[in-house]
Coordinates of all heavy atoms in Angstrom, one line a residue:
M150 N -10.6 1.5 9.1 CA -9.7 0.5 9.4 C -10.1 -0.1 10.8 O -10.2 0.7 11.7 CB -8.2 0.9 9.5 CG -7.3 -0.1 9.9 SD -5.6 0.2 9.9 CE -5.0 -0.2 8.3
R151 N -10.3 -1.4 11.0 CA -10.5 -2.1 12.1 C -9.4 -2.7 12.7 O -8.6 -3.4 12.1 CB -11.7 -3.2 11.9 CG -12.9 -2.7 11.6 CD -14.0 -3.7 11.7 NE -14.4 -3.9 13.1 CZ -14.6 -5.2 13.6 NH1 -14.6 -6.3 12.9 NH2 -14.8 -5.4 14.9
I152 N -9.2 -2.4 14.0 CA -8.0 -2.9 14.7 C -8.4 -3.7 15.9 O -9.2 -3.3 16.6 CB -7.1 -1.7 15.2 CG1 -6.5 -1.0 13.9 CG2 -5.9 -2.2 16.0 CD1 -5.8 0.3 14.3
L153 N -7.8 -4.9 16.1 CA -7.9 -5.7 17.3 C -6.8 -5.4 18.3 O -5.6 -5.7 17.9 CB -8.0 -7.2 17.0 CG -8.2 -8.1 18.3 CD1 -9.4 -7.8 19.0 CD2 -8.1 -9.5 17.8
L154 N -7.0 -4.7 19.4 CA -6.1 -4.5 20.4 C -6.1 -5.6 21.5 O -7.1 -5.7 22.1 CB -6.3 -3.1 21.1 CG -5.3 -2.8 22.2 CD1 -3.9 -2.7 21.8 CD2 -5.7 -1.4 22.9
V155 N -4.9 -6.2 21.7 CA -4.8 -7.4 22.7 C -3.9 -6.9 23.7 O -2.7 -6.9 23.5 CB -4.3 -8.6 22.1 CG1 -4.5 -9.8 23.1 CG2 -5.2 -9.0 20.9
E156 N -4.5 -6.3 25.0 CA -3.7 -5.8 25.9 C -4.2 -6.0 27.2 O -5.4 -5.6 27.4 CB -3.5 -4.3 25.6 CG -2.7 -3.5 26.6 CD -1.4 -3.8 27.1 OE1 -0.5 -4.0 26.2 OE2 -1.1 -4.4 28.2
D157 N -3.6 -6.6 28.2 CA -4.1 -6.8 29.5 C -4.0 -5.6 30.5 O -4.7 -5.7 31.5 CB -3.6 -8.1 30.1 CG -2.1 -8.0 30.3 OD1 -1.3 -7.5 29.4 OD2 -1.7 -8.6 31.4
D158 N -3.1 -4.6 30.3 CA -2.9 -3.6 31.2 C -4.0 -2.5 30.9 O -3.9 -1.9 29.7 CB -1.6 -3.1 31.1 CG -1.2 -1.9 32.1 OD1 -2.1 -1.0 32.2 OD2 -0.1 -2.0 32.7
P159 N -4.9 -2.2 31.7 CA -6.0 -1.2 31.5 C -5.5 0.1 31.2 O -6.0 0.7 30.2 CB -6.9 -1.3 32.7 CG -6.5 -2.5 33.4 CD -5.1 -2.8 33.0
S160 N -4.5 0.6 31.8 CA -4.0 1.9 31.4 C -3.3 2.1 30.1 O -3.5 3.0 29.5 CB -3.1 2.5 32.6 OG -2.0 1.7 32.7
V161 N -2.5 1.0 29.8 CA -1.9 1.0 28.5 C -2.9 0.9 27.4 O -2.9 1.6 26.4 CB -0.9 -0.2 28.3 CG1 -0.4 -0.4 27.0 CG2 0.3 0.0 29.3
A162 N -3.9 0.0 27.6 CA -5.0 -0.2 26.6 C -5.7 1.1 26.4 O -6.1 1.5 25.3 CB -6.0 -1.3 27.1
A163 N -6.1 1.8 27.5 CA -6.8 3.1 27.4 C -6.0 4.2 26.6 O -6.6 4.8 25.7 CB -7.2 3.7 28.8
S164 N -4.7 4.2 26.8 CA -3.9 5.1 26.1 C -3.9 4.8 24.5 O -3.9 5.7 23.7 CB -2.5 5.2 26.7 OG -2.5 5.7 27.9
V165 N -3.7 3.6 24.3 CA -3.6 3.2 22.9 C -5.0 3.4 22.2 O -5.0 3.9 21.1 CB -3.1 1.6 22.8 CG1 -3.3 1.2 21.3 CG2 -1.7 1.5 23.3
I166 N -6.1 3.0 22.9 CA -7.4 3.2 22.3 C -7.6 4.6 22.0 O -8.1 5.0 20.9 CB -8.4 2.6 23.2 CG1 -8.3 1.1 23.3 CG2 -9.9 3.0 22.8 CD1 -9.1 0.4 24.3
D167 N -7.3 5.5 23.0 CA -7.5 6.9 22.7 C -6.8 7.4 21.5 O -7.4 8.1 20.7 CB -7.1 7.8 24.0 CG -8.0 7.7 25.1 OD1 -9.1 7.2 25.0 OD2 -7.5 8.0 26.2
G168 N -5.6 7.0 21.4 CA -4.7 7.4 20.2 C -5.3 6.9 18.9 O -5.4 7.7 17.9
L169 N -5.7 5.7 18.9 CA -6.3 5.1 17.7 C -7.6 5.7 17.3 O -7.9 6.0 16.1 CB -6.4 3.6 17.7 CG -5.0 2.8 17.9 CD1 -5.3 1.4 18.2 CD2 -4.3 3.0 16.7
V170 N -8.5 5.9 18.3 CA -9.8 6.6 18.1 C -9.6 7.9 17.7 O -10.3 8.4 16.7 CB -10.7 6.4 19.3 CG1 -12.0 7.3 19.2 CG2 -11.1 4.9 19.5
N171 N -8.7 8.7 18.2 CA -8.4 10.0 17.6 C -7.8 10.1 16.3 O -8.0 11.1 15.6 CB -7.4 10.7 18.6 CG -8.0 11.1 19.9 OD1 -9.2 11.3 20.1 ND2 -7.1 11.3 21.0
A172 N -7.4 9.0 15.8 CA -7.0 8.9 14.4 C -8.1 8.4 13.5 O -7.8 8.0 12.4 CB -5.7 8.0 14.3
N173 N -9.3 8.3 14.1 CA -10.5 7.9 13.4 C -10.3 6.3 13.0 O -10.9 6.0 11.9 CB -10.7 8.7 12.1 CG -11.1 10.1 12.4 OD1 -11.8 10.4 13.4 ND2 -10.5 11.1 11.7
L174 N -9.9 5.5 13.8 CA -9.7 4.2 13.5 C -10.7 3.4 14.6 O -10.9 3.9 15.6 CB -8.3 3.6 13.8 CG -7.2 4.1 12.9 CD1 -5.9 3.9 13.4 CD2 -7.5 3.9 11.5
E175 N -11.2 2.3 14.1 CA -12.2 1.5 14.8 C -11.4 0.5 15.7 O -10.6 -0.3 15.1 CB -13.1 0.8 14.0 CG -14.3 0.0 14.7 CD -15.2 -0.6 13.8 OE1 -15.3 -0.2 12.6 OE2 -15.9 -1.6 14.3
V176 N -11.6 0.4 17.0 CA -10.8 -0.3 17.9 C -11.7 -1.4 18.7 O -12.7 -1.0 19.3 CB -10.0 0.4 18.9 CG1 -9.0 -0.6 19.7 CG2 -9.0 1.4 18.1
E177 N -11.3 -2.6 18.6 CA -11.9 -3.7 19.4 C -10.9 -4.2 20.4 O -9.7 -4.4 20.0 CB -12.4 -4.9 18.6 CG -13.1 -5.9 19.4 CD -14.6 -5.8 19.4 OE1 -15.1 -5.1 18.6 OE2 -15.1 -6.3 20.4
H178 N -11.1 -4.3 21.8 CA -10.2 -4.4 22.7 C -10.4 -5.7 23.5 O -11.7 -6.0 23.9 CB -10.1 -3.3 23.7 CG -9.2 -3.6 24.9 ND1 -9.8 -3.7 26.2 CD2 -7.9 -4.0 25.0 CE1 -8.7 -3.9 27.1 NE2 -7.6 -4.2 26.3
V179 N -9.5 -6.6 23.6 CA -9.7 -7.8 24.5 C -8.4 -7.8 25.3 O -7.3 -7.2 25.0 CB -9.9 -9.1 23.6 CG1 -11.1 -9.0 22.9 CG2 -8.7 -9.3 22.7
S180 N -8.5 -8.5 26.4 CA -7.4 -8.6 27.4 C -6.8 -10.0 27.6 O -5.9 -10.1 28.4 CB -7.7 -8.0 28.7 OG -8.9 -8.7 29.2
T181 N -7.3 -11.0 26.9 CA -6.7 -12.3 27.1 C -6.4 -12.9 25.7 O -7.0 -12.5 24.7 CB -7.6 -13.3 27.8 OG1 -8.9 -13.4 27.0 CG2 -8.1 -12.8 29.1
G182 N -5.4 -13.9 25.7 CA -5.1 -14.5 24.4 C -6.3 -15.4 23.9 O -6.5 -15.3 22.7
S183 N -7.0 -16.0 24.7 CA -8.1 -16.9 24.3 C -9.2 -15.9 23.6 O -9.8 -16.3 22.6 CB -8.7 -17.7 25.3 OG -9.2 -16.8 26.5
D184 N -9.5 -14.8 24.2 CA -10.5 -13.8 23.5 C -9.9 -13.3 22.3 O -10.6 -13.1 21.3 CB -10.8 -12.7 24.5 CG -11.6 -13.0 25.7 OD1 -12.3 -14.2 25.6 OD2 -11.7 -12.3 26.7
A185 N -8.6 -13.1 22.2 CA -7.9 -12.6 20.9 C -8.1 -13.6 19.8 O -8.4 -13.2 18.7 CB -6.4 -12.3 21.3
I186 N -7.8 -14.8 20.2 CA -7.9 -15.9 19.1 C -9.4 -16.0 18.6 O -9.6 -16.1 17.5 CB -7.4 -17.3 19.6 CG1 -5.9 -17.1 19.8 CG2 -7.8 -18.4 18.7 CD1 -5.4 -18.4 20.6
S187 N -10.3 -16.0 19.5 CA -11.7 -16.1 19.1 C -12.2 -14.9 18.3 O -12.8 -15.1 17.2 CB -12.5 -16.1 20.4 OG -14.0 -16.2 20.1
K188 N -11.8 -13.8 18.7 CA -12.2 -12.5 17.9 C -11.5 -12.5 16.6 O -12.1 -12.2 15.5 CB -11.7 -11.2 18.7 CG -12.6 -10.9 19.8 CD -13.8 -10.2 19.6 CE -14.5 -9.7 20.9 NZ -15.8 -9.1 20.5
A189 N -10.2 -12.8 16.6 CA -9.4 -12.8 15.3 C -10.0 -13.8 14.3 O -10.1 -13.4 13.1 CB -8.0 -13.0 15.6
L190 N -10.4 -14.9 14.8 CA -10.8 -16.0 13.8 C -12.4 -15.8 13.5 O -12.7 -16.4 12.4 CB -10.7 -17.4 14.4 CG -9.1 -17.7 14.7 CD1 -9.1 -19.1 15.3 CD2 -8.3 -17.6 13.5
N191 N -13.1 -15.0 14.2 CA -14.5 -14.9 14.0 C -15.0 -13.5 13.4 O -16.1 -13.3 13.1 CB -15.3 -15.3 15.1 CG -15.2 -16.8 15.4 OD1 -15.5 -17.6 14.6 ND2 -14.6 -17.1 16.5
Q192 N -14.1 -12.5 13.3 CA -14.4 -11.2 12.9 C -13.2 -10.8 12.0 O -12.2 -11.3 12.0 CB -14.5 -10.3 14.1 CG -15.6 -10.5 15.0 CD -15.9 -9.5 16.0 OE1 -15.4 -8.3 15.9 NE2 -16.3 -9.9 17.2
D193 N -13.5 -9.8 11.2 CA -12.6 -9.2 10.2 C -11.9 -8.0 10.8 O -12.4 -7.0 11.2 CB -13.3 -8.8 8.9 CG -13.7 -10.0 8.1 OD1 -13.1 -11.0 8.2 OD2 -14.8 -9.9 7.4
F194 N -10.5 -8.1 10.8 CA -9.6 -7.0 11.4 C -8.6 -6.7 10.2 O -8.2 -7.6 9.6 CB -9.0 -7.3 12.7 CG -10.0 -7.5 13.7 CD1 -10.4 -8.7 14.2 CD2 -10.5 -6.3 14.4 CE1 -11.4 -8.8 15.2 CE2 -11.3 -6.4 15.4 CZ -11.9 -7.7 15.8
D195 N -8.2 -5.4 10.1 CA -7.2 -5.0 9.2 C -5.8 -5.2 9.9 O -4.8 -5.2 9.2 CB -7.4 -3.6 8.8 CG -8.7 -3.4 8.1 OD1 -8.9 -4.1 7.0 OD2 -9.6 -2.7 8.6
L196 N -5.7 -5.2 11.2 CA -4.5 -5.1 12.0 C -4.8 -5.7 13.4 O -5.8 -5.4 13.9 CB -3.8 -3.7 12.0 CG -2.6 -3.6 12.9 CD1 -1.4 -4.2 12.2 CD2 -2.4 -2.1 13.2
I197 N -3.9 -6.5 13.8 CA -3.9 -6.9 15.3 C -2.7 -6.4 16.0 O -1.5 -6.6 15.7 CB -4.0 -8.4 15.3 CG1 -5.2 -9.1 14.6 CG2 -3.9 -9.0 16.8 CD1 -5.2 -10.5 14.4
L198 N -3.0 -5.7 17.1 CA -1.8 -5.1 18.0 C -1.9 -6.0 19.2 O -2.8 -6.1 19.9 CB -2.1 -3.7 18.4 CG -2.0 -2.6 17.3 CD1 -2.4 -1.3 17.8 CD2 -0.7 -2.7 16.6
L199 N -0.8 -6.8 19.4 CA -0.7 -8.0 20.2 C 0.4 -7.8 21.3 O 1.5 -7.7 21.0 CB -0.5 -9.3 19.4 CG -0.4 -10.5 20.2 CD1 -1.6 -10.9 21.1 CD2 0.0 -11.6 19.2
D200 N -0.1 -7.8 22.5 CA 0.9 -7.7 23.7 C 1.4 -9.2 23.9 O 0.7 -10.1 23.6 CB 0.1 -7.4 24.9 CG 0.9 -7.3 26.2 OD1 2.1 -7.3 26.0 OD2 0.3 -7.2 27.3
L201 N 2.8 -9.3 24.1 CA 3.2 -10.7 24.2 C 3.0 -11.3 25.6 O 3.0 -12.4 25.7 CB 4.7 -10.6 23.9 CG 5.2 -10.2 22.5 CD1 6.7 -10.2 22.4 CD2 4.5 -11.2 21.5
G202 N 2.8 -10.5 26.7 CA 2.7 -10.9 28.1 C 1.3 -10.8 28.4 O 0.8 -9.8 28.9
L203 N 0.5 -11.9 28.2 CA -0.9 -12.0 28.6 C -1.2 -12.9 29.7 O -0.3 -13.7 29.9 CB -1.7 -12.3 27.4 CG -1.6 -11.5 26.0 CD1 -2.2 -12.2 24.9 CD2 -2.3 -10.3 26.4
P204 N -2.2 -12.8 30.5 CA -2.5 -13.5 31.6 C -2.7 -15.0 31.4 O -2.3 -15.8 32.2 CB -3.7 -12.8 32.3 CG -4.3 -12.1 31.2 CD -3.3 -11.8 30.2
D205 N -3.3 -15.4 30.3 CA -3.7 -16.7 30.2 C -2.7 -17.6 29.1 O -2.7 -18.7 29.1 CB -5.1 -16.9 29.7 CG -5.4 -16.2 28.3 OD1 -4.6 -15.3 27.9 OD2 -6.3 -16.6 27.7
M206 N -1.9 -16.8 28.3 CA -1.0 -17.5 27.3 C -0.1 -16.5 26.9 O -0.3 -15.3 26.9 CB -1.8 -18.2 26.3 CG -2.7 -17.3 25.4 SD -3.9 -18.0 24.2 CE -3.1 -19.5 23.8
D207 N 1.0 -17.0 26.3 CA 1.9 -16.0 25.7 C 1.5 -15.6 24.3 O 0.7 -16.2 23.5 CB 3.2 -16.9 25.4 CG 4.4 -16.1 24.9 OD1 5.1 -15.5 25.8 OD2 4.5 -15.9 23.7
G208 N 1.8 -14.3 24.0 CA 1.3 -13.5 22.8 C 1.9 -14.3 21.6 O 1.2 -14.3 20.6
Q209 N 3.1 -15.0 21.7 CA 3.5 -15.6 20.6 C 2.8 -16.8 20.2 O 2.6 -17.1 19.1 CB 5.1 -16.1 20.9 CG 6.0 -14.8 20.9 CD 7.4 -15.2 21.1 OE1 7.7 -16.3 21.5 NE2 8.3 -14.3 20.9
D210 N 2.2 -17.5 21.3 CA 1.3 -18.6 21.0 C 0.0 -18.1 20.3 O -0.5 -18.8 19.4 CB 0.9 -19.3 22.3 CG 2.2 -20.0 22.9 OD1 3.0 -20.4 22.1 OD2 2.3 -20.2 24.2
V211 N -0.5 -17.0 20.7 CA -1.6 -16.4 20.1 C -1.3 -16.1 18.6 O -2.2 -16.6 17.7 CB -2.0 -15.0 20.8 CG1 -3.1 -14.4 19.9 CG2 -2.4 -15.4 22.2
C212 N -0.2 -15.5 18.4 CA 0.2 -15.2 17.0 C 0.4 -16.6 16.1 O -0.2 -16.5 15.1 CB 1.6 -14.5 17.1 SG 2.2 -13.9 15.5
R213 N 1.0 -17.5 16.6 CA 1.1 -18.8 15.9 C -0.2 -19.4 15.5 O -0.6 -19.8 14.5 CB 1.8 -19.9 16.7 CG 3.4 -19.6 16.6 CD 4.2 -20.8 17.3 NE 5.3 -20.3 17.9 CZ 5.6 -19.9 19.0 NH1 4.5 -19.9 19.9 NH2 6.7 -19.5 19.5
T214 N -1.3 -19.3 16.5 CA -2.5 -19.9 16.4 C -3.3 -19.1 15.2 O -3.9 -19.7 14.3 CB -3.3 -19.9 17.7 OG1 -2.7 -20.7 18.6 CG2 -4.7 -20.5 17.4
V215 N -3.2 -17.8 15.4 CA -3.9 -16.9 14.4 C -3.3 -17.1 12.9 O -4.0 -17.2 12.0 CB -4.0 -15.5 14.8 CG1 -4.5 -14.5 13.7 CG2 -4.7 -15.3 16.1
R216 N -2.0 -17.2 13.0 CA -1.2 -17.4 11.7 C -1.6 -18.7 11.0 O -1.5 -18.7 9.7 CB 0.2 -17.4 11.9 CG 1.0 -16.2 11.7 CD 0.8 -15.6 10.4 NE 1.0 -14.2 10.4 CZ 0.0 -13.3 10.5 NH1 -1.2 -13.7 10.1 NH2 0.4 -12.0 10.6
E217 N -2.1 -19.6 11.7 CA -2.4 -21.0 11.1 C -3.6 -20.8 10.1 O -3.7 -21.6 9.1 CB -2.9 -21.9 12.0 CG -1.7 -22.5 12.9 CD -2.1 -23.4 14.0 OE1 -3.4 -23.6 14.2 OE2 -1.2 -23.9 14.7
T218 N -4.4 -19.7 10.3 CA -5.6 -19.5 9.5 C -5.6 -18.1 8.7 O -6.2 -18.1 7.6 CB -6.9 -19.5 10.4 OG1 -6.9 -20.7 11.2 CG2 -8.2 -19.3 9.7
L219 N -5.0 -17.0 9.3 CA -5.1 -15.7 8.7 C -3.9 -15.2 8.4 O -2.8 -15.6 9.0 CB -5.8 -14.9 9.9 CG -7.1 -15.3 10.4 CD1 -7.6 -14.2 11.5 CD2 -8.3 -15.2 9.3
T220 N -3.9 -14.2 7.5 CA -2.7 -13.5 7.1 C -2.8 -12.0 7.6 O -1.9 -11.2 7.1 CB -2.5 -13.5 5.6 OG1 -3.7 -12.9 4.9 CG2 -2.2 -14.9 5.1
T221 N -3.7 -11.7 8.5 CA -3.9 -10.3 9.0 C -2.5 -9.9 9.6 O -2.0 -10.7 10.4 CB -4.9 -10.3 10.1 OG1 -6.2 -10.8 9.5 CG2 -5.2 -8.9 10.6
P222 N -2.1 -8.6 9.3 CA -0.8 -8.1 9.9 C -0.9 -8.1 11.5 O -1.9 -7.7 12.0 CB -0.6 -6.8 9.4 CG -1.5 -6.8 8.1 CD -2.6 -7.7 8.4
I223 N 0.1 -8.7 12.1 CA 0.1 -8.6 13.6 C 1.3 -7.8 14.1 O 2.4 -8.1 13.6 CB 0.3 -10.0 14.1 CG1 -1.0 -10.8 13.7 CG2 0.3 -9.9 15.7 CD1 -0.9 -12.3 14.1

């Protein structure tokens, strides 16, 4: 399973990544909304874990933008 993790806090991201990798899941990490949109729309993911407080845009805006094209669970 491929997961896109969108998290701007490095310590939170590291903890989440460790847990997911230990569960034998493949994780791609980005820290901005714009990078999340780009990755989500150009690569295949089974799940997107999305932080709502991102440095460049609100996570809800990321969700709305991705939802216009994809049905990937967020």
Side-chain angles (χ1 to χ4, degrees):
M150 176 180 264
R151 288 194 75 215
I152 298 174
L153 175 61
L154 172 63
V155 186
E156 173 58 62
D157 62 316
D158 183 317
S160 63
V161 172
S164 294
V165 173
I166 291 168
D167 285 345
L169 295 172
V170 168
N171 285 336
N173 295 316
L174 300 171
E175 184 180 340
V176 182
E177 181 90 23
H178 171 245
V179 295
S180 58
T181 66
S183 58
D184 286 345
I186 292 168
S187 178
K188 289 273 186 184
L190 297 180
N191 291 299
Q192 296 184 29
D193 291 326
F194 294 97
D195 299 299
L196 175 70
I197 299 170
L198 294 177
L199 177 60
D200 181 12
L201 294 179
L203 298 169
D205 63 337
M206 62 192 324
D207 187 85
Q209 291 180 349
D210 293 331
V211 174
C212 185
R213 279 188 212 93
T214 301
V215 170
R216 260 306 151 253
E217 291 174 0
T218 306
L219 303 174
T220 59
T221 304
I223 300 175

